[in-house]
Each structure stands twice: as structure tokens, then as C-alpha cells.
Amino acid sequence: MSKPQLLVAMSSVPDLAIDLLRERFEVEVFDFKQASKEEILNKVHGKFGIFCSPWHEIDEELIKNAGSSLKVIGTMSVGYDHVDLIAMKKYGVRLGHTSNISSEVIAETTIGLLIATARRFFEANHALITGEWKDSDIFWMCGRSIRNSIVGIVGCGNIGISIAKKLNSFNISQLLYTSRGEKPEVTIDELVEQSDFIIVSVALNEDTKYIINRKRIAKMKSHAVLVNIGRGELIDQDALIEALRENRIGGVGLDVMTPEPLPLDNPLIKMTNVVLLPHIGSSSIETRTEMAVVTAKNIIAVLDNSAMTKEVQL
Ligand SMILES: O=CC(=O)O
């Protein structure tokens, strides 16, 4: 009997995951990034499952085009805002993701980005390599310490909790957070108003889009440092650029932005008080390998009609 067909949307998935999948599926690796929409739509037809990442949009057209054979989308990510959940439900397709596997490593990235932004690492490094090291001024390249500061975390899910645990060793004066689950101790408006450092680590959905909007940016302290490791659309980026231009906030560290990849003519690129990373929150070899294996197992679970390691309830 022939095996069901599975499409892997990128060519860099490790053998460990691909080999697992090949035991149960006819696997085809087809790099969506190198193909037109039409080619992708042709390719998905007749597939049982699709193995993807946040950089592959899974919209209704794609799901519909795959036809009734499509039973599962496995995304190698915590976030699933690139998947049309309504269409998934409508066509009876299950969705697996890799929640929690990458929380620790994303928290490591966040702490790195927070310090790099607060202490101006990239600006300082640029000054050094361009011969602008000023050893005569004791306040040259001074940033702000995290110690004794108020840190606000917007979204205290698994990643937010990992960040908070790591911050615990920094001797901060207060941790503020907002979260969906329990009754938050502050409102988001109070959090942005009171924090010296604001970390956005919330999932993107209809309720959280532009959670950091123009009004909230206007409420921030003039030295506040804002870090986003969730999704670009959590922040009104145009309002953020204006605030940075007018020096109304201290600095910004972004691992996620709009759009991705960010065009080189975007004003954020040239701003000295901005640190930009190319969405590498979970980019450690160990974590990405584990995420790929769990994604493969999630997909296989659907073939076996059993529970996934992590399934999105549609
Ligand atoms: O962006 C990364 C993820 O959602 O895992």
C-alpha cells in the first residue's frame, strides 16, 4: 500500500526529523520560498500533511487547494498567526506546533537583546570599529542598568515566565506583568507608563494586534527601552519610528518586525538607538533540531489518530 504524501516547505529540516517522517510518509521537500503561489497551490494538492514554519503562510486558498486529503499542518514554531485557523476548522485540518520547547532559548535571546539595547552594544561596537572610541569622556556610550529598574512583561505565558525567572538574578526593583490567565496586577496602560524596560512576549492574534499602539507608546518613559520578541504586528511600527525619531523613548530592541525580512530602506535600520535581530529567538541548533523532531511527531500522531505533543485547539 502506498504511503500518504507529506510536503516539507523548507529544505533545511534536519535528517533526524525527515527520517522519522519517511518511515510513514512519501516525503517531498519543496522550498516554498523559491516558488510562486501558483506552484505552491499545485504542490499541496493531494497531500496528507504540510510541515512548515512561521515564514510560510497557510491561508484558506492553500488549505482548500490541498483538498480533502489534507489532515494536518505541523508548524515548527510556538506562534501560529501564519495559519488561518478558521479555514483549518472549516476543512477539518489539525494543527500541531512546538509550544514550550523553545521558551528557554527565546528567553535567552530576550535577555541578550535587552542588555544589548540598554547598554548600546552595537552602537559601541560600531564606534570602536570606525575609530570613534572616545576615552576622554566618562559618560561616553553610557546606557542604563537593568539593576534597580522596573521591568514590565506584556504576556506572561511560557516565554514570559522564562524571561521573568532569568531576570530574577538581575536585582530589579519591580516586575510588572500582564497576562491573559490570572487577574493581572497592572493594566497594560499602567505597565507601559511605569516600566523602565518593557518586554513584549505575547502571541499575536486579533486581540493583541498593535497592543503597543500609538497611545501606549506616548505613555512610555522618555528613557524606556522596548523589546519585542513576539511578532512585529504587536507594535504600531510607524508610531514607534516617530517616537524614536523624536527621542521620546530610550531605545528599542526587536527580534521581530514588519515586514520580515525588513527592507534595507526601512528607517529602523539606520537608527542608533535600535537593535535589530533577524527573528532568531529560537535559533540554537539544539532547540531547532528538537522543534523539527516534535513537528514530525505531531504530524505522525495525526496519521496514528493519537494525541500530538502540542495541538492547537481549533
Ligand atoms: O517565531 C518563532 C516561533 O513562533 O516559534
Side-chain angles (χ1 to χ4, degrees):
M1 211 176 78
S2 64
K3 295 176 186 165
Q5 294 175 39
L6 183 92
L7 195 63
V8 178
M10 59 276 203
S11 54
S12 47
V13 176
D15 287 347
L16 207 58
I18 296 286
D19 290 348
L20 272 180
L21 291 166
R22 283 203 203 282
E23 285 173 17
R24 309 293 306 278
F25 294 97
E26 204 59 61
V27 176
E28 185 174 355
V29 178
F30 178 76
D31 193 340
F32 280 22
K33 290 288 166 193
Q34 305 298 326
S36 66
K37 179 80 187 212
E38 200 188 340
E39 286 168 328
I40 296 171
L41 292 179
N42 281 333
K43 201 45 103 174
V44 295
H45 187 72
K47 300 295 183 284
F48 177 92
I50 300 171
F51 183 124
C52 67
S53 82
W55 293 279
H56 305 115
E57 196 187 352
I58 308 294
D59 59 13
E60 174 153 13
E61 197 182 9
L62 185 148
I63 295 165
K64 192 170 159 211
N65 238 71
S68 59
S69 63
L70 188 69
K71 300 288 180 251
V72 56
I73 300 289
T75 182
M76 224 190 96
S77 56
V78 185
Y80 42 83
D81 47 285
H82 55 295
V83 181
D84 183 335
L85 301 184
I86 296 170
M88 292 284 283
K89 192 169 176 174
K90 178 167 154 196
Y91 292 96
V93 184
R94 289 170 68 185
L95 175 60
H97 68 141
T98 57
S99 168
N100 216 7
I101 291 167
S102 52
S103 305
E104 286 289 324
V105 84
I106 294 175
E108 287 174 13
T109 308
T110 310
I111 298 294
L113 186 54
L114 181 72
I115 299 174
T117 312
R119 299 291 303 281
R120 305 165 66 185
F121 279 4
F122 289 83
E123 208 184 330
N125 171 261
H126 185 260
L128 182 150
I129 61 177
T130 53
E132 287 158 32
W133 185 338
K134 277 196 210 148
D135 55 359
S136 54
D137 177 356
I138 57 162
F139 284 105
W140 180 72
M141 266 319 151
C142 278
R144 296 197 78 93
S145 340
I146 294 162
R147 170 180 175 262
N148 287 339
S149 68
I150 301 177
V151 182
I153 304 182
V154 179
C156 245
N158 292 327
I159 299 171
I161 290 168
S162 292
I163 296 167
K165 282 188 186 151
K166 295 192 192 320
L167 280 171
N168 206 18
S169 62
F170 280 74
N171 293 326
I172 61 173
S173 73
Q174 203 183 350
L175 180 74
L176 305 175
Y177 64 90
T178 61
S179 103
R180 203 165 27 115
E182 311 142 39
K183 191 175 164 320
E185 57 172 8
V186 284
T187 64
I188 169 103
D189 290 295
E190 287 164 343
L191 183 147
V192 295
E193 222 164 9
Q194 293 170 23
S195 301
D196 301 301
F197 297 99
I198 300 158
I199 299 170
V200 184
S201 71
V202 76
L204 174 66
N205 54 44
E206 273 177 16
D207 298 332
T208 59
K209 188 171 177 182
Y210 293 156
I211 192 163
I212 304 296
N213 57 22
R214 185 174 290 276
K215 253 170 68 190
R216 290 183 176 143
I217 292 171
K219 282 177 191 262
M220 289 178 192
K221 293 179 179 172
S222 61
H223 63 254
V225 168
L226 174 68
V227 167
N228 185 11
I229 52 96
R231 287 288 184 267
E233 283 173 303
L234 294 168
I235 298 183
D236 179 341
Q237 197 166 283
D238 291 337
L240 185 68
I241 290 170
E242 271 176 43
L244 283 161
R245 273 201 181 119
E246 293 163 15
N247 283 320
R248 283 191 274 116
I249 53 174
V252 169
L254 303 176
D255 184 45
V256 288
M257 54 216 79
T258 317
E260 294 180 9
L262 193 69
L264 294 182
D265 61 357
N266 188 286
L268 286 170
I269 299 238
K270 291 223 163 73
M271 292 179 161
T272 48
N273 46 355
V274 174
V275 174
L276 300 174
L277 296 179
H279 202 149
I280 56 164
S282 65
S283 302
S284 81
I285 293 167
E286 302 83 349
T287 304
R288 285 281 164 96
T289 305
E290 200 183 340
M291 289 165 80
V293 169
V294 168
T295 305
K297 288 184 178 165
N298 278 343
I299 292 171
I300 292 167
V302 177
L303 192 58
D304 291 340
N305 216 359
S306 60
M308 295 189 198
T309 306
K310 203 72 199 177
E311 178 160 2
V312 179
Q313 296 311 320
L314 299 169

